[in-house]
Amino acid sequence: MNATDEMNTVDKKNETAGSTPGTTDTGSDTDTAATATAPTPHGRLVVLDMAGTTVSDGGLVERAFERAAERLGVEPGTPDHAAKLRYVLDTMGESKISVFRHLFGTEELARRANSAFEEAYGELVDGGLVTPVPGARAAVEQLRADGRTVVLTTGFARVTQDAILDALGWQDLADLTLCPADAGGRGRPFPDMVLTAFLRTGAAADVRELVVAGDTAYDMLSGCRAGAGIVAGVLTGAHDRATLTRNGATHVLGSVAELPRLLAESA
């Protein structure tokens, strides 16, 4: 079973069962787990996704995929192109090389597609088409000022992650930045990047002190599998409140800008 099948299975099970136990939907931008109690302090280590969570890319993933797909002979306007693009959008948050392995079948084609995608995305980033999510930089700065360690993670390759950080002037914003290659090659929904942040920073003594925030179901699954005490979904990216909650979000926030206040209240 691949990652997407697994996510769909999780979604279907939860749709059958109804709403997720322990979460409350108040209709406001910030939902909290009504019955959640923390055995250890939350927020010593905060692991944040980039695209869709702290960074707005204005649909660059779709545009970069179209360029990459065309290089591999997938013609725009065809059913094959539409199906592949739909899969890319449905798996937002997953490691891009994993997505291309699924789409193109062989390692050689997957690597060619991934290289073309990263090149196209980098060109678009250099063109000034990425911006911070409103309040994201201030949120990271506040989290660090509060004594928390902050790590930025992505499903992109290191070269693309660095291009985004350079474009935004964020090279020193966080304590650490990680991509799948930094965690042994596996991206989300595996917990590897979160656990690498835990091991590499030494900022927390217990995984339950971890906070993970992201905009996709894969971010939620990754945080849950790592044992994070708070797994916060944000509504500025790919997936909606219901999808985030079904896949393990303990909280759903309007944006990452709300995270410092949530953690201050939690403490």
Side-chain angles (χ1 to χ4, degrees):
M1 180 182 292
N2 64 34
T4 302
D5 293 337
E6 183 175 356
M7 186 183 80
N8 291 337
T9 300
V10 172
D11 283 354
K12 288 176 182 177
K13 286 181 179 178
N14 282 291
E15 285 169 359
T16 302
S19 61
T20 302
T23 61
T24 302
D25 188 348
T26 63
S28 65
D29 280 344
T30 304
D31 295 348
T32 59
T35 60
T37 56
T40 55
H42 291 317
R44 290 179 178 170
L45 175 58
V46 182
V47 181
L48 303 176
D49 171 52
M50 290 181 64
T53 302
T54 55
V55 177
S56 176
D57 67 9
L60 294 197
V61 167
E62 182 174 348
R63 292 169 64 179
F65 169 75
E66 288 176 347
R67 290 192 189 182
E70 192 167 3
R71 290 188 195 180
L72 270 76
V74 181
E75 192 171 337
T78 63
D80 183 39
H81 183 278
K84 283 180 166 59
L85 177 58
R86 183 72 261 162
Y87 184 84
V88 168
L89 297 177
D90 287 344
T91 56
M92 291 288 281
E94 186 178 352
S95 168
K96 292 299 175 286
I97 186 64
S98 297
V99 171
F100 290 127
R101 285 182 182 123
H102 174 89
L103 289 177
F104 293 101
T106 70
E107 189 66 18
E108 179 188 355
L109 288 176
R111 291 192 178 279
R112 283 176 55 196
N114 191 62
S115 294
F117 174 87
E118 298 284 354
E119 181 182 341
Y121 195 96
E123 290 171 355
L124 292 165
V125 167
D126 289 341
L129 297 179
V130 295
T131 58
V133 167
R137 183 184 185 104
V140 173
E141 291 172 342
Q142 184 61 58
L143 290 168
R144 295 184 72 187
D146 291 340
R148 309 181 196 280
T149 297
V150 179
V151 177
L152 294 175
T153 64
T154 184
F156 294 132
R158 168 56 63 182
V159 64
T160 305
Q161 184 178 39
D162 286 344
I164 295 170
L165 294 170
D166 289 344
L168 298 177
W170 280 14
Q171 298 92 335
D172 300 316
L173 179 62
D175 295 279
L176 179 67
T177 62
L178 294 172
C179 67
D182 299 320
R186 296 199 308 181
R188 310 178 190 103
F190 297 103
D192 302 24
M193 283 194 291
V194 178
L195 294 176
T196 296
F198 174 75
L199 293 170
R200 193 173 293 187
T201 64
D206 189 315
V207 291
R208 291 171 294 179
E209 298 170 9
L210 284 164
V211 174
V212 173
D215 66 298
T216 72
Y218 292 95
D219 294 308
M220 303 301 96
L221 288 170
S222 178
C224 290
R225 291 171 177 179
I230 290 179
V231 181
V234 298
L235 299 175
T236 51
H239 292 155
D240 61 16
R241 183 187 305 273
T243 301
L244 296 169
T245 302
R246 281 198 301 268
N247 288 281
T250 60
H251 302 70
V252 178
L253 309 175
S255 84
V256 72
E258 299 174 20
L259 189 59
R261 179 168 60 86
L262 170 67
L263 299 187
E265 291 172 354
S266 215

